[in-house]
Amino acid sequence: MPSVAFYTLGCKVNHYETEAMWQLFQKNGYERVEFDSKADVYVINTCTVTNTGDKKSRQIIRRAIRKNPDAVICVAGCYAQTSPAEVLAIPGVDVVIGTQDRTKIIEYVEQYKRMRQPINGVHNIMKNRVFEEMDVPTFTDRTRASLKIQEGCNNFCTFCIIPWARGLMRSRDPKAVIRQAQQLVDAGYKEIVLTGIHTGGYGQDLKDYSLAMLLEDLEKEVSGLKRLRISSIEASQLTDEVIDVIDRSNIIVRHMHVPLQSGSDSVLKRMRRKYTMAEYEERILKLKQALPDVAITSDVIVGFPGETEEEFLETYKFIEKHQFAELHVFPYSKRTGTPAARMENQVPEEIKERRVHRLISLSDRLANQYTSRFEGKELEVIPEGVYKEDAKGTFLEGYSDNYIKVVFPGSEEMIGQIVRVKITKAGYPYSEGKWVRVLDDLNDHERLVINQ
Ligand code: SF4
């Protein structure tokens, strides 16, 4: 049996697509082996979001070539899409595929084996207007299933290279989304995370269909789906219609990741983000009104070119005022090829670092405040794995619907199930709890009664 090994760099979407490519290899009789072992085919799914992503991708490619110089080396993903010539110039690279035509990977590998000629399968991504359908009915090692619903982004924020790597917005056919969701539920997943490059933009390119409609249809048509999470949604995409669907839903979780990037209108303008702080604020207040316990998490870029102390403080105060449940803080890093990399007034590294620390301490404080609201309460947690095993027994870790990481004593059979856990000690990065019952044997009516 021929063997294949994968290495994935970057985001959740890349991880999803690695699974999709693995499905294709599996159907063609391959076995999957660890990346560090000797394989017949290596697939490196690359990332290009920062300059370091490119460098790391090159290192991994070289590592695969060293492992087995006779293997077929395939390089896929964002870095391959933006710099195919650079990738092909690495001696030992055999097949390059970007962020489309991944369904042809087996064909390319076979062709390479016959002809022994390097293959460049990368084409202009900007011309592509169709979502590439790839089946992922199960995941290799996860308890939470992702479901990719869209590709690409039309926004062209000034710091971001992603539209050049992924192309323009393409939504997956709603019927395919629902079919895939049902397959995932049938495979035993309790929670599905809708993912994409610009997930909340789903439907923008579809006629008479929207994200709100997809959310409703998933709840109506997928039997047995217990939890539905949206990986990320822009404030402007939290329309009244979407908030209304979330409010009425029994399965959409009380957690929204709403990228902020900056809390200052002047910085947002330089970033070419498409909202003002007043608009962002209005949307999240509306969301909180509908779901008072919602956890709002966000991404913030610190030290964007020209960011003054005043602009930084506007961001800081906004986050403090709205009590975000957790922040992902990134120091601005120049991405070659983007307008922001060429801007003047780049912020010195030490200032960026100080600002990053201030925001991380704020995030820690707010996260503790948020979780403390749930001390003594019961939450539904899906354990994802073993946190530790010691003399006191096995401790599991997992996330509640509102994205609190909870550690509690339990048994391995609970992994992947919905477990009702009482929070005994709230904290961050994790809270401690004690399980009350496994909800799996309950029917939906019983679940509802317990939830009320
Ligand atoms: S919205 Fe902006 S940051 Fe996000 S993928 Fe699109 S261009 Fe990049």
Side-chain angles (χ1 to χ4, degrees), residues 153-157 159-163 197-198 234 261 273:
C153 176
N154 295 352
N155 271 13
F156 296 92
C157 301
F159 53 81
C160 184
I161 195 77
I162 294 306
I197 295 299
H198 194 63
E234 298 282 345
Q261 308 305 8
R273 301 283 294 169

Side-chain angles (χ1 to χ4, degrees), residues 5 75 97 259 360 393 396:
V75 183
I97 303 179
I360 289 177
L396 305 178

Side-chain angles (χ1 to χ4, degrees), residues 178 208-218 220 241 245:
I178 288 163
D208 307 322
Y209 202 77
S210 65
L211 176 67
M213 289 157 94
L214 180 74
L215 295 172
E216 271 197 310
D217 286 348
L218 280 165
K220 256 194 306 195
E241 209 191 350
V245 172

